Amino acid sequence: MEMFGTDIWTTSSLFPYKVLTNVADCYVFSGGYSRSIALMKDGTVKHSGYNGFQIGDGVDRTSWTTIGGAYLQNVTKLRVRGGDYGTSAMALRSDGKAVGWGRNDYGQCGKGHQTDGTAPDGFVLLDKNIIDFQMSGYINAAAGNHAYHFLTSEGKVYSCGASARLQT
């Protein structure tokens, strides 16, 4: 189903406009560069819109497309944050592995490098069973001042990204 197109107004018989079905969670961003990311009920992740910082797995799209291949399967939690054109995403899978992609100027994706604009093509380099995670900070046009914090099954918290260096 096309995401972009004719404006739908409240007087239209098409309002509200159904964009996608079987969605568990969804994030929509604009700021001049519209993009949307959705966690589907089957555990996959879909993208539509702008691909800045590889958030769409490398492609600008005008329709919803499943992204991330084998990495974004069996996803149980998704968090996405964006501002202007920069976007960052993290997904937790049912096997306790996490996948980060998008804005990565401070190593937020957890893959051991700071190459900005990383696709969902690898796991967070944490040899622990992740049971939950949270995101902190913000994203704007100039920087991705955000971090991810992972709670492991052993009851410890690990962080990656900006402001991730906390006292132990």
Side-chain angles (χ1 to χ4, degrees):
M1 175 169 282
E2 294 286 324
M3 180 179 167
F4 308 107
T6 307
D7 287 334
I8 305 299
W9 303 102
T10 55
T11 57
S12 169
S13 62
L14 297 176
F15 185 83
Y17 184 61
K18 180 172 62 174
V19 177
L20 191 60
T21 58
N22 295 317
V23 176
D25 198 4
C26 186
Y27 297 86
V28 179
F29 301 95
S30 61
Y33 298 90
S34 297
R35 63 245 182 241
S36 302
I37 298 175
L39 171 59
M40 306 306 293
K41 289 183 179 178
D42 68 0
T44 60
V45 176
K46 291 186 180 271
H47 166 263
S48 183
Y50 178 65
N51 177 58
F53 294 90
Q54 298 289 324
I55 201 66
D57 201 6
V59 180
D60 287 341
R61 296 181 169 80
T62 58
S63 62
W64 288 97
T65 304
T66 301
I67 62 170
Y71 290 104
L72 293 178
Q73 298 290 319
N74 302 312
V75 174
T76 59
K77 181 177 182 176
L78 176 68
R79 292 293 178 265
V80 184
R81 188 163 288 167
D84 298 329
Y85 59 89
T87 312
S88 178
M90 186 67 66
L92 179 61
R93 298 170 15 138
S94 60
D95 61 3
K97 295 179 182 178
V99 178
W101 73 102
R103 196 85 201 228
N104 190 48
D105 46 349
Y106 292 107
Q108 292 93 330
C109 293
K111 298 177 188 176
H113 60 76
Q114 292 180 308
T115 305
D116 216 358
T118 183
D121 58 3
F123 298 114
V124 169
L125 299 176
L126 181 58
D127 190 21
K128 308 286 180 189
N129 184 40
I130 301 169
I131 60 172
D132 200 5
F133 75 93
Q134 290 297 329
M135 178 187 230
S136 64
Y138 65 92
I139 298 173
N140 61 27
N145 294 313
H146 63 289
Y148 291 100
H149 313 283
F150 306 96
L151 175 63
T152 64
S153 58
E154 60 190 11
K156 295 181 180 178
V157 174
Y158 297 83
S159 296
C160 61
S163 304
R165 294 179 294 271
L166 304 174
Q167 301 229 349
T168 57

